[in-house]
Amino acid sequence: QVRLVESGGGSVQAVGSLRLSCAASGRAFSDDRMGWFRQAPGNEREFVAAISRSGFGTYYADSVKGRFTISRDNAGNTVSLHMNSLKPEDTAVYYCAAHRGNDVVTALQYDYWGQGTQVTVSA
């Protein structure tokens, strides 16, 4: 059983920064592709960023490209999301997820999810 635990959410003013972390346990972390998704009230869960097993491949939603950076530490079993130049529309619950398939942007392809961490950006 894979367990994912997010941390680092909070409240910040626009153009501020936050760093989210996700600690993984339960199976070989380096075999998993990892992703971050977010869900705002009334909206569907949407893809934010993903990273390959090695960490050399990264993928971003257009809405966060150039502002967010995903990274992973396979030795420490963690994946992080550095968020800069935050906007009010980034407000959402952010989820860490893991899978071993090929499609990194579709939520249904992910096998395991964390409980989520709230990010609130005020104008």
Side-chain angles (χ1 to χ4, degrees):
Q1 183 72 16
V2 175
R3 184 166 184 247
L4 302 173
V5 180
E6 301 98 335
S7 61
S11 297
V12 64
Q13 290 188 323
V15 307
S17 299
L18 280 175
R19 177 178 178 267
L20 305 183
S21 292
C22 174
S25 60
R27 71 181 184 188
F29 178 71
S30 58
D31 288 343
D32 284 317
R33 289 184 173 90
M34 301 298 297
W36 286 95
F37 288 76
R38 67 187 181 187
Q39 188 167 17
N43 291 354
E44 293 186 355
R45 193 167 296 189
E46 65 172 357
F47 170 75
V48 175
I51 191 165
S52 66
R53 298 181 181 98
S54 67
F56 289 110
T58 56
Y59 315 87
Y60 297 96
D62 288 342
S63 59
V64 306
K65 203 171 292 183
R67 300 188 297 122
F68 290 12
T69 301
I70 187 171
S71 61
R72 69 188 294 161
D73 175 3
N74 283 346
N77 289 358
T78 59
V79 60
S80 298
L81 185 68
H82 297 256
M83 305 185 294
N84 296 319
S85 302
L86 282 161
K87 305 174 182 180
E89 50 264 44
D90 294 318
T91 295
V93 177
Y94 282 70
Y95 297 91
C96 169
H99 81 133
R100 294 185 172 181
N102 293 318
D103 181 350
V104 299
V105 302
T106 304
L108 288 175
Q109 297 298 317
Y110 284 76
D111 304 307
Y112 296 97
W113 293 84
Q115 82 288 351
T117 185
Q118 176 71 45
V119 171
T120 303
V121 184
S122 57

